[in-house]
Amino acid sequence: MAPDQSLFYQPLRTEDGSPTLVHPVFGEAYSSRHGAWMQANELYLKLTQTHLHPSPRVLEIGFGLGMNFRATLENCLQRGVYLEYMSYEAFPVSREILALVEVPLCPQARLIWAEVLANWPLHPQAPLTMEGAWGRLEVRFEDVTAANFPAQWATALYFDPFSPKVNPEPWQLGVLQKLSRAAQQGAQLATYSVSGCFRRDLLAAGFTVQKVPGVGKKAWTVAEHLGSTISLL
Ligand SMILES: C[S@@+](CC[C@H](N)C(=O)[O-])C[C@H]1O[C@@H](n2cnc3c(N)ncnc32)[C@H](O)[C@@H]1O
């Protein structure tokens, strides 16, 4: 019998009262300790301008516990906007773990999240896809270092792996170059890291880069895709 994953994931109540988990191998929390729900809304949803976009297409690195997806879904439902959300996840948690991490949602978002849980595969291989009047979700269970992203697709890039220190692979220039090709002109990338090396690689991959004040943390990074094909690619 497979070991119960919940024995190894440590629950953590973040400063805004919303829950997250600490990963047993990476040793880091899935979301900010200063507020999991706050980070999903203030950093990923708002700093990418997704909360204002009339037809958002989000490309996420690291579906994790689906916190960013739920915040974005709820906002789009409230605005009556069709959401397209594509997320990549190399080390998915089980359905039981995902179900442990609850946040209060509006009734429609709660139903859609229940459907995500019901459809979450026991042995994730083929992508999880769901579609409705609200939009479309695709979770691809792939390592982003090997994945092919759709070309000129995303209006927003939620760059949310664990930190470069413990999870360096997704932060490489090669991944950023692929994200650059996946982004529409003007697409906004957001991440919690302000690593100098990462910010230089973002510039090299065709983004303008800004350090902005964070909540609970000194700074976050926001980058805008310039839209041209960079000679480095
Ligand atoms: C900080 S958590 C993401 C939290 C998530 N965005 C949320 O809203 O709950 C980082 C995630 O990135 C995933 N990850 C790490 N390396 C990856 C890789 N090379 N390719 C795809 N996903 C990766 C981890 O398994 C983990 O689920």
Side-chain angles (χ1 to χ4, degrees):
M1 206 173 106
D4 179 356
Q5 278 194 36
S6 65
L7 296 175
F8 307 112
Y9 286 83
Q10 193 191 324
L12 178 74
R13 185 67 56 186
T14 67
E15 282 170 20
D16 67 359
S18 60
T20 190
L21 299 174
V22 177
H23 193 281
V25 176
F26 289 106
E28 291 188 352
Y30 275 83
S31 293
S32 168
R33 290 167 185 261
H34 299 293
W37 190 243
M38 173 281 296
Q39 186 191 50
N41 282 282
E42 300 304 320
L43 172 59
Y44 291 106
L45 174 71
K46 293 190 186 160
L47 289 183
T48 59
Q49 306 294 309
T50 300
H51 67 311
L52 301 174
H53 204 289
S55 46
R57 284 179 163 182
V58 176
L59 179 54
E60 179 179 54
I61 305 303
F63 185 78
L65 306 175
M67 200 59 86
N68 297 343
F69 169 67
R70 282 179 270 181
T72 307
L73 172 68
E74 181 151 271
N75 172 270
C76 289
L77 287 170
Q78 280 161 358
R79 294 191 297 127
V81 155
Y82 190 87
L83 169 66
E84 292 180 77
Y85 200 101
M86 184 177 289
S87 188
Y88 285 78
E89 178 51 64
F91 313 108
V93 296
S94 67
R95 180 188 302 166
E96 289 70 28
I97 294 289
L98 210 50
L100 287 177
V101 184
E102 291 182 291
V103 281
L105 295 171
C106 68
Q108 207 188 342
R110 206 178 319 137
L111 284 178
I112 295 163
W113 182 247
E115 206 184 318
V116 173
L117 292 177
N119 288 323
W120 194 256
L122 271 184
H123 305 289
Q125 271 176 340
L128 166 77
T129 49
M130 277 175 45
E131 208 162 352
W134 56 272
R136 185 171 194 279
L137 168 67
E138 180 166 349
V139 185
R140 303 191 69 93
F141 300 106
E142 296 176 31
D143 187 320
V144 292
T145 58
N148 290 315
F149 304 132
Q152 293 180 359
W153 183 84
T155 60
L157 300 163
Y158 291 3
F159 195 80
D160 197 16
F162 292 116
S163 75
K165 192 170 158 214
V166 301
N167 185 200
E169 299 81 8
W171 300 86
Q172 294 166 23
L173 177 59
V175 174
L176 300 182
Q177 289 170 331
K178 289 198 292 180
L179 287 177
S180 177
R181 290 191 285 265
Q184 291 182 16
Q185 181 166 9
Q188 304 286 324
L189 177 149
T191 190
Y192 61 87
S193 172
V194 287
S195 144
C197 172
F198 171 67
R199 287 149 47 78
R200 282 189 291 280
D201 284 350
L202 271 176
L203 278 173
F207 293 86
T208 56
V209 185
Q210 246 189 302
K211 212 190 241 189
V212 300
V215 176
K217 187 176 180 287
K218 262 199 195 128
W220 288 327
T221 295
V222 182
E224 179 170 341
H225 184 244
L226 291 172
S228 54
T229 308
I230 302 297
S231 56
L232 279 171
L233 301 184

